[in-house]
Each structure stands twice: as structure tokens, then as C-alpha cells.
């Protein structure tokens, strides 16, 4: 019980620190969002009117007062689930903007993360079982090489080859002519638009799971319980799946839970390259436009998602492995 209480205490302390940093970091960014919007409306070479800047700041609901008062107001707004008005998508609230982008990221990045995990642990386990063979060398060396390739370069290459040159897939957006809704036309259109971004993520996403699963399983194959299982005359398939792979999978499951928590952040580069309407593109727009309310809400979503996933992973680890509870006391 002490193990679980400590993990929950660490979670609450980390959450408070994350919320505070989420308030401070956007305000360290130079520039005034109100001035940026007035300059966009008036033109880059036009002289800024202080009255117009003040009016824009009031219209955006920009925080005023000293930093401590802003922090108190920020905490009060969070307690009521209010994140303010988005500067980029004025006059829409931040919650509405995020609500429209979140499903796209959950489908794209969530599905690719699950597929990457399944593919990665399967290839890694089989490569470990067949270690020092041609298949093992191909998987490990190939994964190491592909892991050195930049993700944005892979996305641009796929976009050029299959989008512009061959014209097999759409080059941007989440859908085209169909009306959004739960109908076959829209679902098929959205799936077609997501294939290239998903392929860009799946090229490199399984690599960490492959190498991690292989290395962990190779270590487990040298343990005494594996020798005992073989001495009992158990089939190789049983030894590989029920003994070696099952124990090697535990760290990967923990990492998978944390990776799912990071899904809320989307993939900024891939979503920006394909103009995909997800959380990653939203994050890029918020940074470039100094949209403090939207940026704070996005960062908070990502941080809370990772922290909750980390907490769930710690609690599950304590349930699945009694040694973790003993070590944490």
C-alpha cells in the first residue's frame, strides 16, 4: 500500500509543478500577441496604434495585472475548465478548437502507436529467439539504419513519391469533399487522407520497440528459469512465448502506456507537412502565433496525459511485479 501511496503523491507533486511551468513558459516567449494581430490587420509596414493594441488585448481577454495575480486567475480558470479564447481562431474558445482537432490525432497517432507496438515487440521477440541469424542481423541493422533517418525527411519523400508524382493519395488535409459525420463516404475519405501521414509515422515508430524487446528478451534467455524450462523438455515455442517473451514484455508494456499518454501531443512535423487537422499542427500554429491560451491548454493536455499514463504504468507494474512493490518501500 505504501508503494501506491508514494506513486500517487509523486503524481500530484509533479502535476502541480507541470501546471506551474505551463503557466510560466509561454510568458517567457518574447512579443505581444495583440501587437502581432494588429500588425497582421494593418500591414507589416504600418505604424502600430497603441489604442488599437489595447482594444485588441481587451478583445482577446489577455491577462493583466502582476504575474502572481495572473497565476491565481489561471488556477481559478483551470478549476472551472476554462482555458480562454484562442487568439489564432478568435472568437472560438480553446476547448472547442481542441475538441475539433483531438479526434484526428487520436485516430492517426493512436492507431499508429498500437500498430508500432505490436509490430515492434513481435519482430524484436522473434529476432531475439533467432539471435545471431540472418533474420536477426537484418532486423537489428535495418532498424538502426532507418532510425537515423529524420522523420520529416521520410514524410516529405512519401509525399513527393505517392502524393505528387504518382498521385495515389491526397497531399494535404483530413478530408476533401465529403461532409463530416459518421457515414461511409466521410470515413473512407478521412482514411484515404490519413494513409500517408500514418505511413510516415510507422516507418520509424516500431524501431524502439524492436530493439528494446530484443535486448530484454536476449537477457531473459540467459536466466535460470529458461534453462529449467528447457531441461523439463518444454517445446521451444512454449519457452519462447510463455517464459522469455512474457517476462521481456513487461518493460515494453510500461513504455507503451507512457507512449499512449504522449499521443495527445500528436506529431507536429508530420501533421504540419501533410496539413493534417490534428493536435500537432495546432501546436505549431499556437507557437508561431503566440497563442498563449491555446498553447497552455495543449501543453497541459500533453503533460496530464503523460503523467496519468505514467501513474497507470507504475500502478500496473506494482500489481504485475511484486518485486517493484518491495523495491519501492
Amino acid at each position: 500500500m505504501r508503494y501506491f501511496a508514494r506513486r500517487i503523491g509523486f503524481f500530484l507533486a509533479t502535476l502541480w509543478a507541470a501546471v506551474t511551468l505551463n503557466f510560466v513558459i509561454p510568458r517567457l516567449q518574447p512579443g505581444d500577441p495583440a501587437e502581432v494581430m494588429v500588425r497582421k490587420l494593418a500591414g507589416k509596414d504600418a505604424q502600430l496604434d497603441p489604442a488599437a493594441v489595447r482594444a485588441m488585448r481587451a478583445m482577446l481577454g489577455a491577462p493583466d495585472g502582476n504575474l502572481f495575480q495572473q497565476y491565481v486567475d489561471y488556477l481559478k480558470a483551470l478549476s472551472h475548465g476554462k482555458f480562454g479564447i484562442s487568439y489564432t481562431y478568435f472568437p472560438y474558445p480553446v476547448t472547442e478548437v481542441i475538441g475539433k482537432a483531438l479526434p484526428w490525432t487520436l485516430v492517426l497517432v493512436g492507431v499508429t502507436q498500437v500498430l508500432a507496438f505490436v509490430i515492434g515487440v513481435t519482430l524484436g521477440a522473434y529476432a531475439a529467439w533467432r539471435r545471431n541469424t540472418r533474420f536477426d542481423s537484418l532486423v537489428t541493422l535495418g532498424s538502426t539504419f532507418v532510425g537515423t533517418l529524420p522523420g520529416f525527411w521520410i514524410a516529405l519523400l512519401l509525399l513527393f513519391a505517392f502524393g505528387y508524382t504518382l498521385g495515389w493519395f491526397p497531399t494535404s488535409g483530413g478530408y476533401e469533399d465529403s461532409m463530416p459525420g459518421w457515414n461511409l463516404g466521410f470515413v473512407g475519405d478521412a482514411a484515404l487522407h490519413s494513409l500517408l501521414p500514418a505511413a510516415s509515422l510507422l516507418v520509424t515508430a516500431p524501431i524502439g520497440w524492436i530493439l528494446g524487446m530484443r535486448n530484454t528478451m536476449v537477457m531473459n534467455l540467459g536466466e535460470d528459469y529458461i534453462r529449467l524450462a528447457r531441461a523439463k523438455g518444454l517445446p521451444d515455442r512454449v519457452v519462447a512465448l510463455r517464459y522469455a517473451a512474457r517476462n521481456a514484455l513487461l518493460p515494453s508494456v510500461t513504455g507503451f502506456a507512457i507512449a499512449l499518454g504522449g499521443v495527445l501531443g500528436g506529431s507536429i512535423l508530420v501533421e504540419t507537412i501533410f496539413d493534417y487537422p490534428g493536435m500537432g499542427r495546432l501546436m505549431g500554429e499556437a507557437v508561431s502565433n503566440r497563442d498563449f491560451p491555446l498553447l497552455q491548454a495543449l501543453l497541459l493536455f500533453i503533460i496530464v496525459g503523460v503523467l496519468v499514463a505514467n501513474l497507470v504504468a507504475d500502478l500496473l507494474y506494482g500489481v504485475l511485479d511484486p518485486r517493484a512493490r518491495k523495491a519501492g518501500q
Side-chain angles (χ1 to χ4, degrees):
M1 195 65 185
R2 185 180 176 185
Y3 169 85
F4 298 107
R6 288 183 61 184
R7 289 298 179 269
I8 295 174
F10 287 146
F11 166 77
L12 295 176
T14 308
L15 180 61
W16 172 80
V19 168
T20 303
L21 288 175
N22 188 42
F23 168 80
V24 173
I25 290 176
R27 285 162 175 77
L28 297 178
Q29 187 178 5
D32 186 353
E35 291 183 3
V36 173
M37 294 194 68
V38 171
R39 195 176 296 277
K40 284 183 178 180
L41 295 175
K44 293 184 178 180
D45 299 328
Q47 187 174 1
L48 287 177
D49 183 2
V53 175
R54 288 194 297 271
M56 180 63 71
R57 191 177 291 115
M59 184 174 63
L60 293 176
D64 52 5
N66 57 55
L67 197 62
F68 178 75
Q69 184 61 44
Q70 292 183 27
Y71 180 66
V72 173
D73 295 337
Y74 165 74
L75 294 179
K76 290 180 180 179
L78 284 185
S79 64
H80 292 87
K82 297 180 180 179
F83 297 96
I85 303 297
S86 172
Y87 300 166
T88 306
Y89 295 92
F90 182 85
Y92 294 102
V94 167
T95 52
E96 184 175 343
V97 175
I98 294 178
K100 292 181 178 179
L102 184 59
W104 295 95
T105 292
L106 290 179
V107 172
L108 174 66
V109 186
V111 171
T112 53
Q113 282 286 356
V114 173
L115 290 176
F117 176 76
V118 173
I119 294 171
V121 297
T122 302
L123 289 178
Y126 191 70
W129 185 251
R130 305 280 296 175
R131 63 188 183 281
N132 300 327
T133 63
R134 183 176 299 178
F135 177 83
D136 180 30
S137 301
L138 179 63
V139 170
T140 53
L141 293 178
S143 299
T144 304
F145 171 74
V146 174
T148 62
L149 302 177
F152 71 90
W153 181 83
I154 295 174
L156 290 173
L157 183 64
L158 292 177
L159 180 64
F160 174 76
F162 297 101
Y164 290 107
T165 303
L166 298 176
W168 291 354
F169 302 101
T171 57
S172 63
Y175 61 95
E176 196 165 351
D177 299 326
S178 55
M179 290 294 295
W182 291 107
N183 54 78
L184 290 178
F186 174 74
V187 172
D189 192 15
L192 185 63
H193 279 76
S194 66
L195 286 178
L196 279 183
S200 303
L201 295 173
L202 278 175
V203 170
T204 57
I207 293 175
W209 306 118
I210 292 174
L211 299 178
M213 184 66 181
R214 180 195 177 276
N215 294 337
T216 306
M217 188 166 170
V218 167
M219 293 176 58
N220 286 341
L221 287 172
E223 296 291 337
D224 292 338
Y225 67 89
I226 297 294
R227 298 190 185 96
L228 178 61
R230 285 172 170 167
K232 288 181 177 180
L234 295 177
D236 288 345
R237 182 178 180 182
V238 175
V239 175
L241 296 178
R242 295 188 179 180
Y243 287 80
R246 183 177 179 180
N247 287 278
L249 190 62
L250 189 58
S252 297
V253 170
T254 305
F256 178 62
I258 299 175
L260 285 182
V263 164
L264 295 177
S267 178
I268 296 178
L269 291 176
V270 170
E271 292 185 9
T272 301
I273 290 172
F274 290 98
D275 196 27
Y276 195 78
M279 299 280 281
R281 192 190 70 174
L282 212 59
M283 177 73 76
E285 292 176 348
V287 172
S288 61
N289 295 325
R290 298 182 177 89
D291 192 341
F292 293 156
L294 182 58
L295 183 60
Q296 285 184 181
L298 289 171
L299 290 175
L300 190 62
F301 266 70
I302 298 170
I303 291 170
V304 172
V306 173
L307 288 178
V308 170
N310 198 6
L311 176 64
V312 171
D314 283 342
L315 297 180
L316 284 177
Y317 208 96
V319 172
L320 297 175
D321 191 351
R323 294 172 298 179
R325 295 198 301 270
K326 184 178 294 186
Q329 292 179 356

